[in-house]
Amino acid sequence: MRFALPERWSVQRIVKILLGALLLFVVFKGVSATIADGKFTAAAWKSLITTGLALGSLYALIAMGYTLVYGILFIINFAHGEVFMSGAFTAFFVARTLNNSGFLNDQPIISIAILLLVSMLVSTTIAILLERIAYRPLRGAPRLVPLITAIGASLFLQNTFRGLYGAKVRAYPEIDILSGTVNIFSFVVGKDQLLVIAGAALLVVALYLFIERTKTGRAMRAVGEDKEISALMGIDVDKVIVTTFAIGGMLAGAAGVLWAINFKQVDFYMGFLPGIKAFTAAVLGGIGNVVGAALGGLILGLLEGVAPALLLTGYDVPSPNQLKDVISFSVLVFVLIFKPGGILGSDEPDKV
Amino acid sequence: MRKPRWFSFVALLFVLSLVAAACADDEPSSTDSGGDSPTAACDEDEFGCVEVAAGDAIQLGTLLVIVGENSALGLDSQYGVQIAVDMYGDIEGHSVELVNEDEGCTPEGGTTGARSLVSNESIAAVIGTSCSSAGEPAAQITSDAGVVLISPSNTAPSLTDPATHQPFYLRTAHNDKIQGAAMAQFVGEDLGLKTAATIHDGSPYAEQLQQVFADTFTSEGGEITGQEAILVGDTDMKPALTSVAAAKPEFLYFPVFVAEGGALAAQGRETAGLEDTKFGGADGMLTPDWVEAAGADNAEGTYLSGPDLAFGGGFYEDEFLPAYEEAYGDPTAVFHAHAFDATTMVLNAIKEAAIVDGDSLFIPRTALRDAMFATSDYAGITGTLTCDENGDCNPGATISVSQVVDGAFERIWP
């Protein structure tokens, strides 16, 4: 080939650059048209941003469970959404009882602590059982096998909880100290949203420190590197894996209660969509990477909250929020085109 | 792993048997009518006859949402169907039996349920569906198979629009052209509100209903400040609510279903800009399950439109309701009477179209359809029913508006 392009100007690269330019143009045009349109006030934008942050924090918490398990076992635990649901749904009944007795609003802080505890306990138990029953017997099997059991376990849990608690959608009791808003840097934030954002941030930082600073955390990282060598070095691999599932379950349980407080509803199917979205967030941030999952969750939440209004109002799209999933999944696709390992992931090819 | 040699052979056999089964399903109507049907009417009928042998029951299908969060709507209708069947008695010595399927309030559920029902050759007609989203594919499937489908609660205008109407589809529910206009009139004239916004969930029911509302509201001098949408299954309603709240509308109309409607009411109460906004919905949320999904405090004061159940005439209150309450308790939704009327119309039409042959019964499918569409000035519970050529049987339907007061529905208009 006489006119062969230099290595760094491959066709793929040119297509990517053109695609990127087109994308930037579309986004820029949409955003500037929206701002010129002036339909939304500054207060409305700030409200959309806090909404997105709250949703993103919850995605981040759930995404931890996906990313931790993937980082160590290289399987995708598709039943994680149900682990999330099981805690929230069980805590609903505790919340209702506390509400009926008046305790919920007499001692709101203690009540929220009780709810979190119950939810985390149930979710952790379910996560540990899941590992013991659905995944450990298949530890040596090809990676597709646990993927299928995960889907089976997910359906099983959904229908078990539907049988236990019924198919009705339940309204979570209101907690009086969480209604109303506070002003932070001119952002009007709902108190429930504040709890969600602060709680999620706290838990994610705690998890990061746990993994980086503690002995168990180091053992987890070691097992993620190589299970056999870790075992030779005296690490109890089974115990580390159970711990991983337990931590994922705990965070999912906490996310469940925060979700219910923020969105005011629970039902047996509530884990499915958040599960898929959190998995998306984990992939977006780079699956296997804890910081990546947190970042991916926040980005996805902000995209869902702000992007439809910001991007599509300018194009006069009717009811833009209906297209929020289109936007967030398009972003996922584009991120994976430019950075196949996710935002913070490694780019080495890896089959799932 | 190497597959054994016989694997491909077994796989081939399996595929062939599937093909054979699929073909077999399509054939029986022609062999049946050619083989042992004694009547020429069955041979002439494009879709053949339903045969009810001596001693067998006439089978009717129901395709309603009887499982999941919207089950209150479908179960209420199913009870109405059951009461109608019980009260009607035998037809030419044959009892009537129901085959109940779920439609899940989704297009997928409607498709699966309708396929399953039409594959059963002995089902004469189907009462369903509950939700318009399930009704669209179901009407197509039953019409292709020549099975009458009559809905007690589909209200989306498109189902009986001449351009999209399926030939075997009818309904006793009101058309949302009536409901949307009534709600707009109530909001504009009786509440005296000037600005309104709407949120729908992309289902044919909600999308078309809010559009009728918006058009009527605008034509009567009101202003629509925004039309937003969410997705079925969403829990985070705040972005959509914040979008409509920017214009601070006086009225927010979200005629969706139980789960999403509950979340909209609960999250809408705390959205900045909607503090003084009045909320409204429609018959998809007119069930105690919605109040539970929203939380009684959040549901309080919401206006919901639905069929006017003050029917007048003694039968509904003196005979139907006591029978219903004795068997199933208090009604959980508002379409049981429409289901009763639909079922009775089907049974009347079967009686008219059926050909008696000794102890057995032959029901030509097209003749049954024609008998249904010929229903005229039939005095049902829900009014005087006359079916037009597009399948709307309740042109005189009246709408009432209820308000949630202390967690219960209170009729306030007209």
Side-chain angles (χ1 to χ4, degrees), chain A residues 162 171 259 262-263 265 320 324, chain B residues 67 234-235 238 259 263 267 292:
Chain A
R162 177 194 202 152
W259 183 279
N262 198 24
F263 298 129
Q265 270 189 349
K324 64 176 188 200
Chain B
V67 181
D234 269 2
T235 40
K238 285 176 184 167
Q267 294 170 35
E292 190 171 341

Side-chain angles (χ1 to χ4, degrees), chain A residues 39-40 44 47-48 51 55 162 167-171 174 192-193 259 262-265 273 305 319-322 324-325, chain B residues 67 69 202 227-231 233-236 238-240 242-243 259 262-263 267 270 289 292-295 298:
Chain A
K39 184 184 158 201
F40 295 97
S47 158
L48 286 176
T51 302
L55 182 65
R162 177 194 202 152
K168 275 188 187 173
V169 181
R170 320 285 187 130
E174 299 271 342
D192 47 357
Q193 291 176 330
W259 183 279
N262 198 24
F263 298 129
K264 325 260 180 246
Q265 270 189 349
L273 267 182
S319 334
N321 277 301
Q322 220 176 1
K324 64 176 188 200
D325 289 351
Chain B
V67 181
E69 63 207 33
Q227 287 171 284
E228 252 307 334
I230 46 129
L231 299 171
D234 269 2
T235 40
D236 182 13
K238 285 176 184 167
T242 308
S243 298
Q267 294 170 35
E270 57 176 33
D289 285 1
E292 190 171 341
N298 300 317

Side-chain angles (χ1 to χ4, degrees), chain A residues 70 74 143 287 339-342 344-352:
Chain A
Y70 186 87
F74 301 101
R143 267 200 239 163
I287 194 151
K339 215 160 174 321
L344 296 183
S346 58
D347 278 346
E348 64 188 66
D350 188 29
K351 59 177 177 187
V352 176

Side-chain angles (χ1 to χ4, degrees), chain B residues 59-123:
Chain B
Q59 295 195 17
L60 291 185
T62 69
L63 181 57
L64 301 160
V65 53
I66 50 179
V67 181
E69 63 207 33
N70 292 308
S71 57
L73 175 64
L75 284 173
D76 175 65
S77 297
Q78 192 177 307
Y79 301 153
V81 173
Q82 187 65 55
I83 291 171
V85 167
D86 293 346
M87 285 189 177
Y88 201 89
D90 292 357
I91 297 176
E92 308 291 351
H94 296 270
S95 60
V96 177
E97 205 175 80
L98 293 178
V99 180
N100 300 321
E101 284 281 348
D102 178 47
E103 47 100 312
C105 208
T106 59
E108 299 78 21
T111 306
T112 319
R115 290 242 164 83
S116 142
L117 286 171
V118 300
S119 69
N120 181 347
E121 296 269 326
S122 47
I123 285 178

Side-chain angles (χ1 to χ4, degrees), chain A residues 95-333:
Chain A
R96 195 171 64 176
T97 315
L98 291 177
N99 191 35
N100 289 345
S101 69
F103 187 78
L104 189 69
N105 284 315
D106 286 347
Q107 298 288 347
I109 311 263
I110 299 177
S111 298
I112 293 171
I114 293 176
L115 292 181
L116 280 171
L117 218 64
V118 169
S119 174
M120 285 158 100
L121 200 73
V122 172
S123 289
T124 309
T125 314
I126 297 272
I128 291 173
L129 286 176
L130 200 63
E131 193 274 332
R132 188 70 194 83
I133 296 167
Y135 299 134
R136 195 183 295 179
L138 299 167
R139 186 86 45 82
R143 267 200 239 163
L144 272 178
V145 177
L147 194 71
I148 303 300
T149 33
I151 293 168
S154 158
L155 291 173
F156 173 80
L157 285 171
Q158 259 175 31
N159 287 294
T160 307
F161 278 85
R162 177 194 202 152
L164 273 177
Y165 299 150
K168 275 188 187 173
V169 181
R170 320 285 187 130
Y172 227 68
E174 299 271 342
I175 303 172
D176 287 344
I177 58 157
L178 292 178
S179 57
T181 53
V182 284
N183 238 319
I184 301 172
F185 305 124
S186 85
F187 278 71
V188 181
V189 186
K191 286 180 188 160
D192 47 357
Q193 291 176 330
L194 190 66
L195 173 75
V196 168
I197 297 171
L202 206 72
L203 285 167
V204 169
V205 170
L207 176 69
Y208 181 76
L209 291 179
F210 177 81
I211 289 175
E212 292 296 323
R213 299 280 164 85
T214 65
K215 209 175 158 193
T216 322
R218 202 178 310 140
M220 280 167 71
R221 280 182 287 146
V223 173
E225 289 283 326
D226 193 316
K227 277 200 271 302
E228 277 156 29
I229 305 281
S230 310
L232 287 178
M233 294 295 162
I235 294 173
D236 186 345
V237 174
D238 276 346
K239 203 174 131 196
V240 167
I241 291 173
V242 169
T243 314
T244 311
F245 270 87
I247 293 172
M250 236 159 68
L251 294 174
V257 170
L258 294 175
W259 183 279
I261 286 175
N262 198 24
F263 298 129
K264 325 260 180 246
Q265 270 189 349
V266 289
D267 67 302
F268 74 94
Y269 201 58
M270 68 182 283
F272 181 74
L273 267 182
I276 300 263
K277 294 285 176 62
F279 172 62
T280 310
V283 173
L284 189 65
I287 194 151
N289 184 321
V290 171
V291 182
L295 192 67
L298 282 181
I299 292 177
L300 194 67
L302 276 174
L303 276 174
E304 285 193 10
V306 182
L310 185 61
L311 200 60
L312 297 177
T313 312
Y315 288 110
D316 285 329
V317 176
S319 334
N321 277 301
Q322 220 176 1
L323 297 174
K324 64 176 188 200
D325 289 351
V326 177
I327 296 181
S328 37
F329 285 105
S330 306
V331 169
L332 177 71
V333 168

Side-chain angles (χ1 to χ4, degrees), chain B residues 13 17 31 40 74-75 92 122 138-139 151 156-157 167 182 228 239 261 299 351 402 410:
Chain B
L13 211 64
S17 66
T31 51
L75 284 173
E92 308 291 351
S122 47
S151 167
E228 252 307 334
K351 205 173 206 172
S402 307
E410 199 167 281

